């Protein structure tokens, strides 16, 4: 159960990964609080518990590499380099949000760091990610695109259409299936027949399954696959075994009818990606408990400041309502 | 009369028809134990079991196609499409297959199925979970389209839809699930193609669908206070459309506004307005006005979203101008 | 190369299979002639060369078993029991056609024998077939549905969506992929990555590949799978290796830019399903050359009579144009 | 001026723009060696290679989605959709993704792509290969919709579409691929949102799209012989729509018929007629008439198919009645 030993050894990288995971957790805790205190419009889907997936993968990417994200997209957004302020502004529908408040949680995008956006259509970004990879290949660019999606999204036929083309044309795309055991209120085994990795393999795509709670294992694997994809050896498929701590969305509070509290407790207490990585960092002498606490405190403060800023920020002017329907 | 919510009304309609006809069944995402995210189907799986309330994977084209096949061979599937916006995913199965099979087979194959879905913005759900896409399906011959405006209509139209031998699409307003209305305990059905005069009036006709009926009624109240008598009509189904009832009202009032929550351009209001103009032209004292949602993707920000849809104030304002003889758009 | 020995031994069955294959070939030759002589409206897709697939499969079915067909659907229609007269009438848009002339070649259906119809959307009937199987299961009916589609159609995501559900729910459906090496003007290997049977297997579906030019091999396999599907052991997947003799459609005459005449010649001369079966029947003493010739002549006459009838038949009255938009 | 076919015109437009901009590429089924079943793209793969003229598997949603992703990241894909009827398969990628991305991203992401497809019945291709589905995409904010009516428009609109920074859908009339028209050798572009007066007239305005422009022109000839002077206008793009040009003509003639090959109900003609009624109401001497395809799936039988679409005779007949003051539909 300890993180893979043979991954990166660079202290700075490790601490950044740790910090990024904490940033995601902290972002989500604040977002949840905003919802519970009725300060956030609409609903949102928490990424808490899955931090090692987004961070392990995105830390293997550069800003010119692209990702496509999902309805559960805050984690991907943070991991790909986004700022709290613009993110909270977006969640609150404010003008300074990444999308000027027009997208909200389910459509948050961060063009500057290569995040092509969350998507409220389950599976909706599979074509987009694969098309980004096609563009890279056609233009002789060596960037790689990672397509995030959930276990539930594997039921969408679009995945098989684009995997077929990605395989035929050796596109630099990595399909990252975040298998958190559930799609909404249904267990994965009730909606997915056979084997998820075998489905990719049937198209001739190399597929891996990895512990999604182990940030170094995820990062190690992704680094290797990204390097190979850059050389034209793609596409690849990764199934990341993970868990979401909250309900399907912030409003999904009473959920014992589809999963037990004991199960949730087990994942939180025994497999938490942040706790595990923290233990590893301390054990290996990479950081002291004090240094870790300092990071945590700093992130917490950043988040609180950003929330405060966003709450006070202004809404877009009503004249913006029919701007951006068409680009010039 | 007892009052129940729109959600309960739909639930009752489904339960009654499922008891009545063993060939009916429901399929969709999280329809069973979860009873859908809107909880409209709560309790049905307990009564009818997982064989008749079927949780599907997230594969809208797939289960829509399966519903067509089941319908063609003797079942009456009720498909639950969680958000109306996902209709884009199933257009081929709905419009190329379900809608055309009866015709293409020269009348030999039937596709008796119901597609239950929803419409409506201002829920802070952003552009892919807020659309009102009824115009798209209304354009395709072979599909019937129902748009209940209250719990009463939701129940009566659903029961009719389930017994209809054609594919029927029902759009429920997702903001109205908790709204209550009087609904009889006794069984009743609402026939398709019969409009409902919600309020009588003599100065202007407000024709409104689904979520917009409330808007029109509120506008009518406001207008009444000013001495303008507005008639409010709910077509209830837009295919078939009760043209006669609409024409009759407009011939009486000589003025009309058509209100629908879909985008205005190339939308439902255009068809209804065109028919009024064509067939009641010589009775009109003013152009028929249309009020749809703005032609923009639905924005997330509350500051923007609320101004994209017609409001009672906006309807009243336009009605006032029409009645005052102001040629709103005219050159 | 000789047909599987251990299949049915019933003489009547064998002769009916032979006759059905000849009927398909004859139907197509006449349809092609109607096109070439400008007597047929529109285009049509010839099944010639693939007869053993439709006949081998449909002979394992009863009238209560259903099939869904494709744009290349005449073979399935004949094999499932349809009459020449109503078929030719449909191809010519006449009132006595199976669909009163409203469907034409690409939508021919024959409800009375369980043919749910050809489909002009490639892959368009995969949901329909699977839904028919779902209905059978829900109603406790023991009929089986066969879904015919081409190699090209395996690129449509719909297939994977419905295979997933069929596998999860053990539906009595058999996916019959007619791999004739081409989709329109493109070779299968250019549009299909990996392995077609592995794709079904990844969903936990038992998959078989069979020589589609060997009617007894096809029939033998299908009989077994149909019997198992009736018992709730479905779904199954069969990839049938076959070849179309004509162009993609009747108008696709100059096709050397995508496939060689030599290749076509090889299939026609060395792997023709009718010739092979005829040899087998004679060799095994099941029919004499004379009996075979008599069948051929009879079928030819039937077809010629039906064509003549259909040419003289009347068009639907214009008042039918808006009938059947809605059922009562 | 030299005359070339509509097919050649499209081919030239694509070749010129592909030479000009290396980020453009074409993808679709059998577009390369086969040059599509209609042979419109013949020769392009020879010039641009298989990297820029890409044969795809039969996976319309997949390659449409890929085009969106390529467009969002710096390419200009031109998607070839073999039949307009297949648009049902790609609605999600086109309408939920391509159309909304610019708006949802607050203007930060662009989706410059062209979807080339076709429309038109009377080709004996039956219900799933004969539809004219322009109304559906015109209803979705964020999509531009072009409907060329001759080789000249086909070339000029295609070039504009490729340079546009938004998703553009172009419907070519598949029956017109072999029709010739004068097309300049020199480069030209046709701006979007600018209608074209094909024929001037003073008694009635015939507004027609794509395939229906020829029908309107023929009707105008017939009417001229009887002393009725019809103006024929082709909007060329229905989004954006050159409302002003249409209004100007109708204010002059006081009468109009709108003709489009899509189904009439909830179709393109409704939107155009509604705008004329709203904004030129006080200039109209008669109701604006609409002529679309019948509200039936397109039948295969030639005996039925030909009567489902507007004809020159039908248009002339209606124009005659309007000009004679007969209140065709009025009560
Ligand atoms: C096309 C579509 N169908 C259904 C939904 C509703 N929905 C939102 S999230 C979700 C479950 C997704 O499950 P999964 O892919 O496993 O992602 P997770 O939520 O577990 O991260 C569903 C059904 C949707 N948004 N889009
Ligand atoms: C959705 C859709 N896309 C494209 C087409 C055009 N089309 C008709 S047949 C065909 C090739 C089908 O190939 P395959 O499935 O192998 O069947 P075959 O023709 O070889 O029998 C194509 C691309 C169509 N009819 N439907
Ligand atoms: Mg999940
Ligand atoms: Mg093939």
């Amino acid at each position: 159960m300890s993180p893979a030993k043979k991954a990166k050894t660079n202290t700075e990288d490790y601490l950044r990964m740790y910090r990024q995971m904490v940033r995601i957790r902290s972002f989500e805790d604040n977002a949840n609080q905003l919802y519970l205190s009725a300060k956030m419009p609409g609903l949102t889907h928490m990424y808490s518990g899955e931090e090692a997936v987004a961070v392990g993968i995105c830390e293997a990417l550069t800003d010119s590499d692209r990702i496509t994200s999902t309805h559960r997209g805050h984690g991907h957004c943070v991991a790909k380099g986004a700022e709290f302020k613009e993110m909270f502004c977006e969640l609150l529908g404010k003008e300074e949000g990444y999308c000027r408040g027009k997208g909200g949680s389910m459509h948050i995008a961060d063009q500057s760091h290569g995040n092509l956006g969350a998507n409220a259509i389950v599976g909706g970004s599979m074509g987009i990610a694969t098309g980004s990879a096609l563009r890279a290949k056609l233009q002789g660019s060596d960037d790689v695109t990672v397509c995030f999606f959930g276990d539930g999204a594997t039921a969408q036929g679009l995945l098989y259409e684009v995997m077929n083309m990605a395989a035929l044309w050796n596109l630099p795309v990595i399909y990252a299936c975040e298998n958190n055991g559930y799609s909404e209120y249904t267990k994965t085994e009730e909606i997915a027949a056979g084997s998820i990795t075998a489905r990719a393999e049937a198209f001739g795509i190399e597929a891996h399954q990895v512990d999604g709670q182990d940030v170094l294992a995820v990062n190690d694997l992704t680094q290797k696959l990204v390097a190979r994809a850059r050389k034209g050896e793609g596409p690849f498929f990764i199934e990341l075994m993970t868990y979401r701590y909250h309900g399907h969305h912030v409003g999904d509070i009473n959920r014992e009818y589809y999963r037990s509290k004991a199960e949730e407790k087990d994942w939180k207490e025994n497999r938490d990606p942040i706790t595990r990585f923290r233990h590893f960092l301390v054990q290996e002498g990479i950081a002291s408990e004090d240094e870790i606490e300092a990071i945590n405190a700093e992130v917490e403060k950043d988040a609180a400041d950003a929330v405060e800023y966003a709450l006070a920020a202004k809404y877009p002017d009503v004249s913006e309502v029919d701007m951006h329907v068409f680009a010039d | 009369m007892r009052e129940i919510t729109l959600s309960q009304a739909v639930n009752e309609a489904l339960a009654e028809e499922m008891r009545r006809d063993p060939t009916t069944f429901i399929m969709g995402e999280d329809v069973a134990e979860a009873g859908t995210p809107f909880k409209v189907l709560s309790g049905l799986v307990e009564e009818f079991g997982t064989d008749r309330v079927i949780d599907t994977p997230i594969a809208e084209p797939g289960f829509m196609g399966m519903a067509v096949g089941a319908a063609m061979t003797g079942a009456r599937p009720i498909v639950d499409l969680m958000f109306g916006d996902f209709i884009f995913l199933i257009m081929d199965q709905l419009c190329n297959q379900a809608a055309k099979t009866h015709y293409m087979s020269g009348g030999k194959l039937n596709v008796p199925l119901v597609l239950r879905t929803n419409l409506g913005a201002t829920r802070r759900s952003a552009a892919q979970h807020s659309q009102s896409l009824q115009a798209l399906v209304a354009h395709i011959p072979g599909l019937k389209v129902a748009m209940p405006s209250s719990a009463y209509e939701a129940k009566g139209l659903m029961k009719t839809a389930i017994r209809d031998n054609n594919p029927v699409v029902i759009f429920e307003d997702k903001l109205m699930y908790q709204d209550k209305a009087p609904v009889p305990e006794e069984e009743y059905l609402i026939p398709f193609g019969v409009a409902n005069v919600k309020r009588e009036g003599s100065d202007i006709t407000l024709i409104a669908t689904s979520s917009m009926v409330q808007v029109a009624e509120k506008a009518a109240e406001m207008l009444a206070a000013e001495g303008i008598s507005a008639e409010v009509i709910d077509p209830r189904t837009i295919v078939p459309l009760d043209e006669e009832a609409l024409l009759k009202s407009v011939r009486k009032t000589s003025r009309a506004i058509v209100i629908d929550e879909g985008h205005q351009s190339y939308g439902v209001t255009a068809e209804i307005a065109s028919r009024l103009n064509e067939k009641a032209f010589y009775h009109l004292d003013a152009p028929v006005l249309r009020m749809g949602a703005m032609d923009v993707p639905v924005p997330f920000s509350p500051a923007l979203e609320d101004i994209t849809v017609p409001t009672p104030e906006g309807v009243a304002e336009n009605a006032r101008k029409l009645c005052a003889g102001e040629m709103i758009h005219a050159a």
Side-chain angles (χ1 to χ4, degrees), chain A, chain B:
Chain A
M1 291 293 287
S2 85
K5 291 279 145 116
K6 59 196 168 62
K8 293 205 218 174
T9 50
N10 188 304
T11 300
E12 224 174 86
D13 288 346
Y14 279 18
L15 293 182
R16 200 178 51 245
M17 281 198 245
Y18 177 78
R19 175 189 296 269
Q20 287 289 65
M21 289 202 290
V22 174
R23 289 183 76 233
I24 294 174
R25 183 73 55 92
S26 180
F27 185 90
E28 296 298 49
D29 287 344
N30 278 278
N32 195 33
Q33 216 39 58
L34 284 167
Y35 170 78
L36 293 173
S37 57
K39 289 182 184 139
M40 195 185 61
L43 290 173
T44 183
H45 308 81
M46 306 276 90
Y47 198 73
S48 312
E50 310 191 13
E51 293 87 350
V53 172
V55 172
I57 288 178
C58 292
E59 282 290 316
L61 304 175
T62 70
D63 274 358
S64 27
D65 293 322
R66 312 301 213 284
I67 65 163
T68 60
S69 170
T70 67
H71 59 286
R72 196 177 301 290
H74 306 162
H76 312 132
C77 197
V78 170
K80 198 73 179 51
E83 300 295 338
F84 278 172
K85 228 165 66 175
E86 286 86 339
M87 283 186 70
F88 280 117
C89 279
E90 191 57 39
L91 260 65
L92 298 178
K94 302 300 178 74
E95 185 190 297
E96 286 179 73
Y98 273 113
C99 309
R100 303 190 69 78
K102 282 182 166 160
S105 164
M106 285 209 291
H107 303 289
I108 197 160
D110 172 15
Q111 166 81 325
S112 54
H113 295 96
N115 177 358
L116 299 178
N119 208 307
I121 300 298
V122 167
S125 69
M126 291 159 171
I128 294 171
T130 311
S132 168
L134 174 65
R135 179 265 323 145
K137 183 175 178 182
L138 293 179
Q139 302 188 350
S141 191
D142 79 344
D143 63 281
V144 170
T145 304
V146 174
C147 178
F148 287 102
F149 55 91
D151 49 288
T154 63
Q156 291 283 19
L158 186 62
L159 176 61
Y160 306 93
E161 298 190 3
V162 298
M163 286 204 300
N164 186 32
M165 287 184 265
L168 285 168
W169 305 333
N170 281 110
L171 301 184
V173 57
I174 297 176
Y175 298 100
C177 176
E178 306 181 299
N179 188 343
N180 60 11
Y182 295 86
S183 55
E184 284 195 348
Y185 321 111
T186 304
K187 287 196 200 305
T188 308
E189 58 261 36
E190 288 169 31
I191 52 88
S195 144
I196 289 178
T197 49
R199 297 186 195 172
E201 282 161 355
F203 288 89
I205 296 178
E206 186 179 312
H208 299 264
Q209 202 184 58
V210 64
D211 179 357
Q213 306 309 86
D214 181 343
V215 72
L216 292 187
V218 173
N219 184 254
D220 186 41
L221 174 63
T222 311
Q223 294 224 20
K224 288 182 187 135
L225 299 183
V226 167
R228 289 172 57 196
R230 287 203 208 289
K231 289 189 291 183
E233 294 175 27
F236 297 104
F237 189 101
I238 315 179
E239 182 181 8
L240 302 115
M241 310 312 284
T242 186
Y243 199 75
R244 62 165 156 81
Y245 288 172
H246 292 262
H248 169 60
H249 55 60
V250 285
D252 173 26
I253 312 279
N254 299 317
R255 48 185 181 268
E256 275 169 276
Y257 72 93
Y258 71 87
R259 74 182 197 188
S260 70
K261 287 211 164 133
E263 179 186 295
E264 296 187 2
K265 190 155 172 275
D266 178 47
W267 279 86
K268 286 184 196 172
E269 291 185 359
N270 304 317
R271 306 184 61 176
D272 183 70
I274 298 179
T275 310
R276 278 171 68 181
F277 194 47
R278 175 185 176 142
H279 282 323
F280 169 81
L281 293 175
V282 174
Q283 236 164 22
E284 301 284 313
I286 296 165
S288 68
E289 288 285 354
D290 283 354
E291 285 167 316
I292 296 274
E293 285 300 333
I295 294 176
N296 292 0
E298 209 183 316
V299 168
E300 240 166 73
K301 181 163 182 327
D302 278 2
D305 289 352
V307 166
E308 201 180 329
Y309 183 92
L311 283 168
K314 71 177 201 317
Y315 284 115
D317 188 80
V318 292
S319 66
E320 290 218 18
V321 70
D322 58 2
M323 275 168 60
H324 309 131
V325 178
F326 291 110
D328 294 331
Chain B
M1 205 184 290
R2 66 169 183 160
E3 300 215 328
I4 60 174
T5 64
L6 193 147
S7 174
Q8 288 169 321
V10 172
N11 191 297
E12 277 191 9
L14 294 169
E16 288 175 17
E17 293 305 306
M18 287 177 77
R19 275 173 218 135
R20 185 179 168 271
D21 182 349
T23 69
T24 53
F25 68 92
I26 297 175
M27 70 193 303
E29 293 153 16
D30 281 316
V31 292
E33 285 75 15
T36 79
F38 296 103
K39 306 294 168 201
V40 177
L41 306 191
S42 295
L44 293 181
V45 73
E46 284 74 13
E47 177 170 355
F48 299 102
T50 50
D51 258 13
R52 293 184 64 199
V53 185
I54 305 174
D55 271 347
T56 63
I58 309 172
E60 288 84 1
F63 65 75
M64 182 66 210
M66 288 172 66
V68 179
M72 279 167 71
T73 56
R76 289 187 174 265
I78 300 156
V79 176
D80 187 287
L81 189 70
M82 200 182 292
F83 282 86
D85 312 67
F86 308 161
I87 222 165
F88 287 131
L89 286 156
I90 59 161
M91 287 296 270
D92 178 60
Q93 292 300 316
L94 182 65
C95 302
N96 274 333
Q97 311 296 343
K100 297 180 172 40
T101 294
H102 186 67
Y103 190 87
M104 293 192 307
S105 70
K108 294 201 184 133
L109 292 162
N110 285 356
V111 187
L113 67 81
V114 176
L115 176 65
R116 258 198 76 226
T117 192
N118 51 40
L119 57 70
T122 69
R123 226 176 131 259
R124 319 304 175 218
S125 304
Q128 294 172 345
H129 277 61
S130 306
Q131 294 168 87
S132 301
L133 297 173
Q134 54 273 19
L136 300 187
V137 286
H139 183 53
I140 305 304
L143 300 177
K144 297 189 178 179
V145 186
M147 301 185 66
S149 61
S150 82
Y152 176 78
E153 273 82 18
K155 182 168 179 184
L157 292 170
M158 178 62 77
K159 286 172 68 84
T160 304
I162 295 172
R163 298 189 197 179
D164 198 288
N165 286 325
N166 298 283
V168 178
V169 187
I170 300 205
F171 290 91
E172 296 159 9
D173 176 9
K174 58 176 112 67
L175 278 105
M176 274 175 56
Y177 280 130
Q178 296 318 315
D179 289 4
K180 290 193 169 184
V183 173
E185 310 257 6
E186 320 74 70
E187 166 158 279
Y188 67 97
L189 284 87
I190 298 179
F192 285 0
V194 179
N196 182 31
V197 180
K198 294 284 282 189
R199 178 188 180 113
E200 299 212 3
S202 53
D203 296 328
I204 185 165
T205 302
L206 306 178
I207 298 169
T209 62
S210 177
S211 50
M212 295 295 106
V213 173
Q214 290 188 344
V215 168
E217 285 184 300
K218 283 188 197 139
E221 298 266 311
M222 295 163 63
L223 292 166
E226 305 166 24
I228 296 175
S229 163
E231 179 145 308
V232 178
I233 307 195
D234 169 11
R236 298 203 287 207
T237 54
I238 58 170
V239 179
L241 182 68
D242 187 355
E243 205 178 83
E244 270 320 308
L246 308 183
L247 287 170
K248 191 175 149 206
S249 173
V250 171
R251 284 182 194 131
K252 175 176 72 175
T253 62
S254 308
R255 294 176 188 84
I257 304 180
V258 188
I259 315 149
D260 173 84
E261 201 179 337
H263 299 298
Q264 178 163 317
S265 287
Y266 301 95
V268 166
T269 58
E271 178 64 24
I272 297 178
S274 293
R275 295 210 199 175
L276 301 181
N277 279 308
E278 272 172 46
K279 303 188 185 176
F281 183 75
Y282 297 96
H283 297 266
L284 289 172
D285 286 345
V288 176
L289 282 196
R290 298 181 295 147
M291 297 180 70
M294 289 180 73
D295 292 325
V296 306
V298 179
F300 167 71
S301 184
L304 304 179
E305 188 180 23
D306 290 343
I307 61 176
T308 63
V309 293
T311 58
E313 295 71 26
V315 173
E317 171 81 4
N318 277 336
R320 236 173 260 129
K321 287 190 188 163
L322 275 187
C323 290
E326 290 177 34
M327 300 167 281
I328 298 171
H329 290 286

